[in-house]
Amino acid sequence: MTAPKTTHDLSISEGFIATHPTAADLHRRMAKRPHSAADTAKALDGLPFAVAYDILRLAAREAVEKGETQRAIEAMSGLELHISGLPEAEEGRTLDIRAALMQVITALYIADGKLNSGAAAAAAATLHLLARTPKRKDAAFIEILASLLFDLARLHSSAGEFRQAERDMEKAIRLYERLAKGDAERFASTVIDALAASTQVYHNRIRQAELLAHYQAATLLYTAEMNAGVEEAADRLVESLMAEGDTLRQMGRCREAIQYYTRALKLLRRIEGEELTLRQLRLSRALGEAMLHVGAMKEKAIHLLNTMLHKALKINAPDEHARISDLLDNAGKPWLDILGLWHKMFPK
């Protein structure tokens, strides 16, 4: 068994949303013996949405605390697959349960901390399920969407994408505030917890801006030193330019990041020669990743990353090969811009 992980600052964390009074008892009964996907679907059938949703969250939280996160992901994915085959799968409460399942699976992937691509895929699946009945204002729809956005804030924050995390959090808080107006007992504490979590996101974004200013100052210094003939200044300038590019990319300023990566790559080739090195491979991968987020450059990015994928094998760089492979795998999928459906879905 793997070591227990934490659900802290996720939508499945203890106390984040007040559990429906009957959910805990029903969860205990269901947990006493193994259930097939069909058995679980039958047990959830007919329950109020809030009760069913809380049972799913309680099961997910318990699995994480026991170190059984992957097992829970597999079980809930199997349950969603089973429900998706039911005649009523594309409408009403059944569609909401499927979306709730995918939202909880998203939280499980984030709690696991290993497969951000899995979390992004589950989040995209949740959004696509919700988008089938957009611009709703009922509590079930808003709660699933708010919980998803809250978890995405954690995902983006862990990736250093603090501006995006801030946007996720702001939208989640607005939705939770709307829910609290209709059901203070269930959601009042959630608003408080979400606001508390948001302070760390804002703090991190401020620190990131300060870090960018530090790199900008370092770049100016190393440029001046290199022009003055200082030994090793060019190598330091490459590292500073790359760090500046990484920070800009995380801030969502990908066009600017591309400029810094390109400048660093040209300088690095002057230092190391034209034959590809591990540093050049890493820099080229970062450049391709930034280009993926600029629509007009996406095809060029895919071409660059495909080239680097083959070269990673030639220079025996398995970690970079895996990262590039993941980027290419995700490049053609809809979750590259995870909030692309927002304008269709957010209830005005």
Side-chain angles (χ1 to χ4, degrees), residues 185-242:
E185 184 177 358
R186 182 170 174 82
F187 294 106
S189 62
T190 306
V191 174
I192 295 171
D193 287 347
L195 287 168
S198 71
T199 59
Q200 185 60 43
V201 173
Y202 299 147
H203 177 66
N204 287 339
R205 189 168 70 87
I206 292 170
R207 289 182 60 191
Q208 189 179 59
E210 292 171 347
L211 187 63
L212 178 61
H214 166 77
Y215 288 136
Q216 289 171 334
T219 294
L220 290 173
L221 173 63
Y222 296 143
T223 300
E225 288 182 348
M226 186 183 69
N227 292 336
V230 175
E231 190 175 354
E232 296 183 354
D235 195 69
R236 292 172 184 166
L237 178 57
V238 168
E239 293 301 317
S240 183
L241 288 168
M242 187 169 182

Short mmCIF file of all heavy atoms in Angstrom, two decimals, residues 185-242:
data_model
loop_
_atom_site.label_atom_id
_atom_site.label_comp_id
_atom_site.label_asym_id
_atom_site.label_seq_id
_atom_site.Cartn_x
_atom_site.Cartn_y
_atom_site.Cartn_z
N GLU A 185 -26.56 26.62 5.42
CA GLU A 185 -26.09 25.52 6.28
C GLU A 185 -25.06 24.66 5.56
O GLU A 185 -24.09 24.21 6.16
CB GLU A 185 -27.29 24.67 6.72
CG GLU A 185 -26.90 23.56 7.70
CD GLU A 185 -28.11 22.78 8.18
OE1 GLU A 185 -29.24 23.13 7.78
OE2 GLU A 185 -27.92 21.82 8.94
N ARG A 186 -25.28 24.43 4.29
CA ARG A 186 -24.36 23.57 3.53
C ARG A 186 -23.14 24.32 3.02
O ARG A 186 -22.04 23.77 2.97
CB ARG A 186 -25.12 22.94 2.36
CG ARG A 186 -24.28 21.97 1.51
CD ARG A 186 -25.17 21.21 0.55
NE ARG A 186 -24.44 20.39 -0.38
CZ ARG A 186 -23.97 19.17 -0.13
NH1 ARG A 186 -24.13 18.64 1.07
NH2 ARG A 186 -23.31 18.47 -1.04
N PHE A 187 -23.29 25.59 2.63
CA PHE A 187 -22.23 26.24 1.88
C PHE A 187 -21.57 27.44 2.57
O PHE A 187 -20.57 27.95 2.04
CB PHE A 187 -22.76 26.71 0.52
CG PHE A 187 -23.13 25.57 -0.38
CD1 PHE A 187 -24.47 25.26 -0.62
CD2 PHE A 187 -22.16 24.79 -0.99
CE1 PHE A 187 -24.83 24.21 -1.45
CE2 PHE A 187 -22.51 23.73 -1.82
CZ PHE A 187 -23.84 23.43 -2.05
N ALA A 188 -22.06 27.91 3.69
CA ALA A 188 -21.45 29.08 4.32
C ALA A 188 -19.99 28.82 4.70
O ALA A 188 -19.11 29.66 4.44
CB ALA A 188 -22.25 29.50 5.56
N SER A 189 -19.73 27.66 5.29
CA SER A 189 -18.35 27.34 5.67
C SER A 189 -17.47 27.15 4.43
O SER A 189 -16.26 27.41 4.47
CB SER A 189 -18.32 26.08 6.52
OG SER A 189 -18.81 24.96 5.81
N THR A 190 -18.08 26.69 3.34
CA THR A 190 -17.33 26.49 2.11
C THR A 190 -16.80 27.81 1.58
O THR A 190 -15.66 27.90 1.11
CB THR A 190 -18.23 25.83 1.05
OG1 THR A 190 -18.78 24.64 1.59
CG2 THR A 190 -17.44 25.50 -0.21
N VAL A 191 -17.63 28.85 1.63
CA VAL A 191 -17.19 30.17 1.18
C VAL A 191 -15.99 30.64 2.00
O VAL A 191 -15.00 31.14 1.44
CB VAL A 191 -18.34 31.20 1.28
CG1 VAL A 191 -17.85 32.60 0.94
CG2 VAL A 191 -19.48 30.80 0.35
N ILE A 192 -16.05 30.45 3.30
CA ILE A 192 -14.95 30.86 4.17
C ILE A 192 -13.67 30.09 3.84
O ILE A 192 -12.58 30.67 3.72
CB ILE A 192 -15.33 30.65 5.65
CG1 ILE A 192 -16.49 31.58 6.02
CG2 ILE A 192 -14.14 30.91 6.57
CD1 ILE A 192 -17.09 31.31 7.39
N ASP A 193 -13.79 28.77 3.66
CA ASP A 193 -12.62 27.95 3.34
C ASP A 193 -12.04 28.31 1.98
O ASP A 193 -10.82 28.32 1.80
CB ASP A 193 -12.99 26.46 3.37
CG ASP A 193 -13.20 25.95 4.79
OD1 ASP A 193 -12.82 26.67 5.73
OD2 ASP A 193 -13.74 24.84 4.95
N ALA A 194 -12.91 28.59 1.01
CA ALA A 194 -12.44 28.97 -0.32
C ALA A 194 -11.70 30.31 -0.27
O ALA A 194 -10.66 30.48 -0.92
CB ALA A 194 -13.61 29.04 -1.30
N LEU A 195 -12.23 31.24 0.49
CA LEU A 195 -11.57 32.53 0.64
C LEU A 195 -10.20 32.37 1.30
O LEU A 195 -9.22 33.02 0.90
CB LEU A 195 -12.44 33.49 1.45
CG LEU A 195 -13.67 34.05 0.73
CD1 LEU A 195 -14.60 34.73 1.72
CD2 LEU A 195 -13.25 35.03 -0.37
N ALA A 196 -10.12 31.50 2.29
CA ALA A 196 -8.84 31.25 2.96
C ALA A 196 -7.82 30.64 2.00
O ALA A 196 -6.65 31.02 1.98
CB ALA A 196 -9.05 30.32 4.16
N ALA A 197 -8.29 29.70 1.17
CA ALA A 197 -7.39 29.07 0.19
C ALA A 197 -6.93 30.07 -0.86
O ALA A 197 -5.81 29.98 -1.37
CB ALA A 197 -8.09 27.89 -0.47
N SER A 198 -7.78 31.03 -1.18
CA SER A 198 -7.44 32.00 -2.23
C SER A 198 -6.29 32.91 -1.81
O SER A 198 -5.53 33.39 -2.66
CB SER A 198 -8.66 32.85 -2.58
OG SER A 198 -8.98 33.76 -1.54
N THR A 199 -6.13 33.15 -0.50
CA THR A 199 -5.06 34.04 -0.07
C THR A 199 -3.69 33.49 -0.43
O THR A 199 -2.77 34.24 -0.78
CB THR A 199 -5.13 34.28 1.45
OG1 THR A 199 -5.01 33.03 2.14
CG2 THR A 199 -6.45 34.94 1.83
N GLN A 200 -3.54 32.16 -0.38
CA GLN A 200 -2.26 31.56 -0.74
C GLN A 200 -2.00 31.68 -2.23
O GLN A 200 -0.87 31.92 -2.66
CB GLN A 200 -2.23 30.08 -0.32
CG GLN A 200 -0.89 29.39 -0.54
CD GLN A 200 0.23 30.05 0.24
OE1 GLN A 200 0.06 30.39 1.40
NE2 GLN A 200 1.37 30.24 -0.39
N VAL A 201 -3.06 31.55 -3.04
CA VAL A 201 -2.91 31.71 -4.49
C VAL A 201 -2.45 33.13 -4.82
O VAL A 201 -1.52 33.34 -5.60
CB VAL A 201 -4.23 31.39 -5.22
CG1 VAL A 201 -4.12 31.73 -6.70
CG2 VAL A 201 -4.59 29.92 -5.05
N TYR A 202 -3.10 34.12 -4.21
CA TYR A 202 -2.72 35.51 -4.46
C TYR A 202 -1.29 35.78 -3.99
O TYR A 202 -0.51 36.46 -4.66
CB TYR A 202 -3.68 36.46 -3.74
CG TYR A 202 -5.12 36.33 -4.18
CD1 TYR A 202 -6.16 36.53 -3.28
CD2 TYR A 202 -5.44 36.00 -5.49
CE1 TYR A 202 -7.49 36.41 -3.67
CE2 TYR A 202 -6.76 35.87 -5.89
CZ TYR A 202 -7.77 36.07 -4.98
OH TYR A 202 -9.08 35.94 -5.37
N HIS A 203 -0.94 35.24 -2.83
CA HIS A 203 0.41 35.43 -2.29
C HIS A 203 1.44 34.84 -3.24
O HIS A 203 2.49 35.45 -3.50
CB HIS A 203 0.51 34.76 -0.92
CG HIS A 203 1.87 34.84 -0.29
ND1 HIS A 203 2.44 36.02 0.10
CD2 HIS A 203 2.79 33.86 0.00
CE1 HIS A 203 3.63 35.79 0.62
NE2 HIS A 203 3.86 34.48 0.56
N ASN A 204 1.16 33.65 -3.76
CA ASN A 204 2.09 33.01 -4.69
C ASN A 204 2.26 33.81 -5.97
O ASN A 204 3.35 33.87 -6.54
CB ASN A 204 1.62 31.59 -5.01
CG ASN A 204 1.81 30.63 -3.86
OD1 ASN A 204 2.61 30.87 -2.98
ND2 ASN A 204 1.04 29.55 -3.85
N ARG A 205 1.17 34.41 -6.45
CA ARG A 205 1.27 35.20 -7.69
C ARG A 205 2.13 36.44 -7.47
O ARG A 205 2.92 36.82 -8.34
CB ARG A 205 -0.12 35.61 -8.19
CG ARG A 205 -0.08 36.23 -9.58
CD ARG A 205 -1.46 36.35 -10.17
NE ARG A 205 -2.27 37.34 -9.51
CZ ARG A 205 -2.29 38.64 -9.84
NH1 ARG A 205 -1.50 39.09 -10.79
NH2 ARG A 205 -3.09 39.47 -9.20
N ILE A 206 2.00 37.05 -6.30
CA ILE A 206 2.84 38.21 -5.98
C ILE A 206 4.31 37.81 -5.92
O ILE A 206 5.19 38.49 -6.46
CB ILE A 206 2.39 38.84 -4.65
CG1 ILE A 206 1.00 39.48 -4.82
CG2 ILE A 206 3.39 39.89 -4.17
CD1 ILE A 206 0.36 39.90 -3.52
N ARG A 207 4.57 36.66 -5.28
CA ARG A 207 5.95 36.17 -5.21
C ARG A 207 6.49 35.85 -6.60
O ARG A 207 7.67 36.08 -6.88
CB ARG A 207 6.01 34.92 -4.33
CG ARG A 207 5.80 35.20 -2.85
CD ARG A 207 5.93 33.93 -2.04
NE ARG A 207 7.23 33.33 -2.20
CZ ARG A 207 7.55 32.10 -1.79
NH1 ARG A 207 6.63 31.35 -1.19
NH2 ARG A 207 8.75 31.60 -1.95
N GLN A 208 5.65 35.34 -7.46
CA GLN A 208 6.07 35.02 -8.82
C GLN A 208 6.45 36.28 -9.58
O GLN A 208 7.46 36.31 -10.30
CB GLN A 208 4.94 34.29 -9.55
CG GLN A 208 5.35 33.71 -10.90
CD GLN A 208 4.19 32.99 -11.56
OE1 GLN A 208 3.15 33.57 -11.80
NE2 GLN A 208 4.37 31.71 -11.84
N ALA A 209 5.67 37.35 -9.42
CA ALA A 209 5.99 38.62 -10.06
C ALA A 209 7.32 39.17 -9.54
O ALA A 209 8.12 39.71 -10.31
CB ALA A 209 4.86 39.63 -9.82
N GLU A 210 7.55 39.00 -8.24
CA GLU A 210 8.82 39.44 -7.66
C GLU A 210 9.99 38.62 -8.21
O GLU A 210 11.07 39.15 -8.48
CB GLU A 210 8.77 39.32 -6.13
CG GLU A 210 7.79 40.28 -5.48
CD GLU A 210 7.58 40.00 -4.01
OE1 GLU A 210 8.00 38.91 -3.55
OE2 GLU A 210 7.00 40.85 -3.31
N LEU A 211 9.76 37.33 -8.40
CA LEU A 211 10.78 36.45 -8.95
C LEU A 211 11.11 36.85 -10.39
O LEU A 211 12.27 36.87 -10.79
CB LEU A 211 10.31 35.00 -8.90
CG LEU A 211 11.33 33.92 -9.30
CD1 LEU A 211 12.50 33.92 -8.32
CD2 LEU A 211 10.66 32.55 -9.32
N LEU A 212 10.08 37.19 -11.16
CA LEU A 212 10.31 37.63 -12.53
C LEU A 212 11.17 38.89 -12.55
O LEU A 212 12.09 39.00 -13.37
CB LEU A 212 8.97 37.89 -13.23
CG LEU A 212 9.05 38.41 -14.67
CD1 LEU A 212 9.76 37.41 -15.57
CD2 LEU A 212 7.65 38.72 -15.21
N ALA A 213 10.89 39.82 -11.66
CA ALA A 213 11.68 41.06 -11.59
C ALA A 213 13.15 40.74 -11.27
O ALA A 213 14.07 41.36 -11.81
CB ALA A 213 11.11 41.99 -10.54
N HIS A 214 13.36 39.74 -10.39
CA HIS A 214 14.72 39.31 -10.05
C HIS A 214 15.43 38.77 -11.28
O HIS A 214 16.60 39.11 -11.55
CB HIS A 214 14.66 38.25 -8.95
CG HIS A 214 15.94 37.50 -8.77
ND1 HIS A 214 17.02 38.03 -8.10
CD2 HIS A 214 16.32 36.26 -9.17
CE1 HIS A 214 18.02 37.16 -8.10
NE2 HIS A 214 17.61 36.08 -8.74
N TYR A 215 14.76 37.91 -12.04
CA TYR A 215 15.38 37.34 -13.24
C TYR A 215 15.66 38.41 -14.29
O TYR A 215 16.68 38.37 -15.00
CB TYR A 215 14.48 36.25 -13.84
CG TYR A 215 14.44 34.98 -13.03
CD1 TYR A 215 13.24 34.32 -12.79
CD2 TYR A 215 15.60 34.42 -12.50
CE1 TYR A 215 13.19 33.15 -12.05
CE2 TYR A 215 15.56 33.25 -11.76
CZ TYR A 215 14.35 32.63 -11.53
OH TYR A 215 14.31 31.46 -10.79
N GLN A 216 14.75 39.37 -14.42
CA GLN A 216 14.96 40.45 -15.38
C GLN A 216 16.21 41.26 -15.03
O GLN A 216 16.99 41.62 -15.91
CB GLN A 216 13.72 41.35 -15.41
CG GLN A 216 12.52 40.70 -16.08
CD GLN A 216 11.24 41.50 -15.94
OE1 GLN A 216 11.08 42.27 -14.98
NE2 GLN A 216 10.30 41.32 -16.86
N ALA A 217 16.39 41.52 -13.74
CA ALA A 217 17.58 42.26 -13.30
C ALA A 217 18.84 41.43 -13.56
O ALA A 217 19.87 41.97 -14.01
CB ALA A 217 17.47 42.61 -11.82
N ALA A 218 18.75 40.12 -13.28
CA ALA A 218 19.90 39.25 -13.51
C ALA A 218 20.26 39.18 -14.99
O ALA A 218 21.45 39.18 -15.36
CB ALA A 218 19.60 37.85 -12.97
N THR A 219 19.26 39.14 -15.85
CA THR A 219 19.50 39.09 -17.29
C THR A 219 20.24 40.33 -17.76
O THR A 219 21.20 40.25 -18.55
CB THR A 219 18.16 38.95 -18.04
OG1 THR A 219 17.58 37.68 -17.73
CG2 THR A 219 18.36 39.04 -19.55
N LEU A 220 19.84 41.49 -17.27
CA LEU A 220 20.53 42.74 -17.63
C LEU A 220 21.98 42.71 -17.16
O LEU A 220 22.90 43.12 -17.89
CB LEU A 220 19.79 43.93 -17.02
CG LEU A 220 18.42 44.26 -17.62
CD1 LEU A 220 17.74 45.35 -16.81
CD2 LEU A 220 18.57 44.69 -19.08
N LEU A 221 22.20 42.22 -15.93
CA LEU A 221 23.55 42.16 -15.38
C LEU A 221 24.44 41.22 -16.19
O LEU A 221 25.56 41.59 -16.58
CB LEU A 221 23.49 41.69 -13.93
CG LEU A 221 24.84 41.42 -13.24
CD1 LEU A 221 25.66 42.71 -13.16
CD2 LEU A 221 24.63 40.83 -11.86
N TYR A 222 23.95 40.00 -16.48
CA TYR A 222 24.76 39.03 -17.20
C TYR A 222 25.00 39.45 -18.64
O TYR A 222 26.06 39.15 -19.21
CB TYR A 222 24.10 37.65 -17.15
CG TYR A 222 24.01 37.07 -15.76
CD1 TYR A 222 22.89 36.32 -15.37
CD2 TYR A 222 25.02 37.25 -14.83
CE1 TYR A 222 22.79 35.78 -14.09
CE2 TYR A 222 24.92 36.72 -13.55
CZ TYR A 222 23.81 36.00 -13.19
OH TYR A 222 23.72 35.48 -11.93
N THR A 223 24.05 40.16 -19.24
CA THR A 223 24.24 40.67 -20.59
C THR A 223 25.38 41.69 -20.60
O THR A 223 26.26 41.65 -21.49
CB THR A 223 22.95 41.33 -21.11
OG1 THR A 223 21.91 40.36 -21.13
CG2 THR A 223 23.15 41.87 -22.52
N ALA A 224 25.39 42.58 -19.63
CA ALA A 224 26.45 43.58 -19.54
C ALA A 224 27.81 42.91 -19.30
O ALA A 224 28.83 43.29 -19.89
CB ALA A 224 26.14 44.56 -18.42
N GLU A 225 27.82 41.90 -18.41
CA GLU A 225 29.07 41.19 -18.12
C GLU A 225 29.59 40.45 -19.35
O GLU A 225 30.80 40.43 -19.61
CB GLU A 225 28.86 40.22 -16.97
CG GLU A 225 28.69 40.88 -15.61
CD GLU A 225 28.53 39.87 -14.49
OE1 GLU A 225 28.33 38.68 -14.79
OE2 GLU A 225 28.62 40.28 -13.31
N MET A 226 28.66 39.81 -20.09
CA MET A 226 29.08 39.09 -21.29
C MET A 226 29.67 40.05 -22.30
O MET A 226 30.71 39.76 -22.92
CB MET A 226 27.89 38.34 -21.90
CG MET A 226 28.27 37.46 -23.07
SD MET A 226 26.84 36.63 -23.84
CE MET A 226 26.01 38.03 -24.59
N ASN A 227 29.03 41.20 -22.49
CA ASN A 227 29.54 42.19 -23.43
C ASN A 227 30.90 42.74 -23.00
O ASN A 227 31.69 43.19 -23.83
CB ASN A 227 28.54 43.33 -23.58
CG ASN A 227 27.27 42.89 -24.27
OD1 ASN A 227 27.26 41.89 -25.01
ND2 ASN A 227 26.17 43.60 -24.03
N ALA A 228 31.15 42.70 -21.69
CA ALA A 228 32.43 43.19 -21.16
C ALA A 228 33.49 42.08 -21.15
O ALA A 228 34.63 42.32 -20.72
CB ALA A 228 32.24 43.73 -19.75
N GLY A 229 33.13 40.88 -21.60
CA GLY A 229 34.08 39.79 -21.70
C GLY A 229 34.28 39.00 -20.43
O GLY A 229 35.27 38.28 -20.28
N VAL A 230 33.33 39.09 -19.48
CA VAL A 230 33.46 38.35 -18.23
C VAL A 230 33.29 36.85 -18.49
O VAL A 230 32.33 36.43 -19.12
CB VAL A 230 32.42 38.83 -17.20
CG1 VAL A 230 32.48 37.97 -15.94
CG2 VAL A 230 32.64 40.30 -16.86
N GLU A 231 34.25 36.06 -17.99
CA GLU A 231 34.20 34.61 -18.20
C GLU A 231 32.97 34.02 -17.51
O GLU A 231 32.60 34.43 -16.41
CB GLU A 231 35.47 33.98 -17.62
CG GLU A 231 35.64 32.52 -17.99
CD GLU A 231 36.97 31.95 -17.49
OE1 GLU A 231 37.79 32.73 -16.97
OE2 GLU A 231 37.15 30.74 -17.62
N GLU A 232 32.31 33.10 -18.17
CA GLU A 232 31.13 32.37 -17.69
C GLU A 232 29.86 33.22 -17.66
O GLU A 232 28.79 32.73 -17.29
CB GLU A 232 31.37 31.79 -16.29
CG GLU A 232 32.47 30.74 -16.25
CD GLU A 232 32.63 30.14 -14.86
OE1 GLU A 232 31.97 30.62 -13.92
OE2 GLU A 232 33.41 29.18 -14.72
N ALA A 233 29.93 34.49 -18.03
CA ALA A 233 28.73 35.33 -18.03
C ALA A 233 27.70 34.82 -19.03
O ALA A 233 26.49 34.87 -18.77
CB ALA A 233 29.09 36.77 -18.32
N ALA A 234 28.16 34.32 -20.19
CA ALA A 234 27.24 33.84 -21.21
C ALA A 234 26.44 32.63 -20.71
O ALA A 234 25.23 32.53 -20.93
CB ALA A 234 28.00 33.47 -22.48
N ASP A 235 27.13 31.74 -19.98
CA ASP A 235 26.45 30.57 -19.45
C ASP A 235 25.41 30.97 -18.41
O ASP A 235 24.30 30.44 -18.38
CB ASP A 235 27.48 29.62 -18.83
CG ASP A 235 26.90 28.24 -18.58
OD1 ASP A 235 26.62 27.53 -19.57
OD2 ASP A 235 26.70 27.88 -17.41
N ARG A 236 25.76 31.93 -17.56
CA ARG A 236 24.80 32.41 -16.56
C ARG A 236 23.63 33.11 -17.23
O ARG A 236 22.49 33.03 -16.76
CB ARG A 236 25.51 33.38 -15.60
CG ARG A 236 26.53 32.72 -14.70
CD ARG A 236 27.30 33.75 -13.92
NE ARG A 236 28.35 33.15 -13.11
CZ ARG A 236 29.33 33.84 -12.54
NH1 ARG A 236 29.40 35.14 -12.72
NH2 ARG A 236 30.24 33.22 -11.82
N LEU A 237 23.90 33.82 -18.32
CA LEU A 237 22.84 34.50 -19.04
C LEU A 237 21.84 33.50 -19.62
O LEU A 237 20.63 33.73 -19.58
CB LEU A 237 23.43 35.37 -20.16
CG LEU A 237 22.43 36.13 -21.04
CD1 LEU A 237 21.54 37.03 -20.20
CD2 LEU A 237 23.17 36.94 -22.11
N VAL A 238 22.33 32.39 -20.14
CA VAL A 238 21.44 31.34 -20.65
C VAL A 238 20.49 30.87 -19.56
O VAL A 238 19.27 30.76 -19.77
CB VAL A 238 22.25 30.14 -21.20
CG1 VAL A 238 21.32 28.95 -21.47
CG2 VAL A 238 22.96 30.53 -22.49
N GLU A 239 21.04 30.58 -18.37
CA GLU A 239 20.21 30.10 -17.27
C GLU A 239 19.18 31.13 -16.85
O GLU A 239 18.02 30.81 -16.55
CB GLU A 239 21.10 29.72 -16.07
CG GLU A 239 22.00 28.52 -16.32
CD GLU A 239 21.22 27.27 -16.66
OE1 GLU A 239 20.19 27.01 -16.01
OE2 GLU A 239 21.64 26.55 -17.59
N SER A 240 19.59 32.40 -16.83
CA SER A 240 18.68 33.47 -16.44
C SER A 240 17.57 33.65 -17.47
O SER A 240 16.40 33.82 -17.12
CB SER A 240 19.45 34.78 -16.26
OG SER A 240 18.60 35.81 -15.82
N LEU A 241 17.92 33.60 -18.74
CA LEU A 241 16.93 33.73 -19.81
C LEU A 241 15.92 32.58 -19.76
O LEU A 241 14.72 32.79 -19.95
CB LEU A 241 17.61 33.76 -21.17
CG LEU A 241 18.38 35.03 -21.52
CD1 LEU A 241 19.24 34.81 -22.76
CD2 LEU A 241 17.42 36.21 -21.77
N MET A 242 16.41 31.39 -19.51
CA MET A 242 15.51 30.24 -19.44
C MET A 242 14.59 30.35 -18.23
O MET A 242 13.38 30.06 -18.33
CB MET A 242 16.30 28.94 -19.39
CG MET A 242 15.43 27.70 -19.48
SD MET A 242 16.36 26.19 -19.74
CE MET A 242 15.02 24.98 -19.85
#
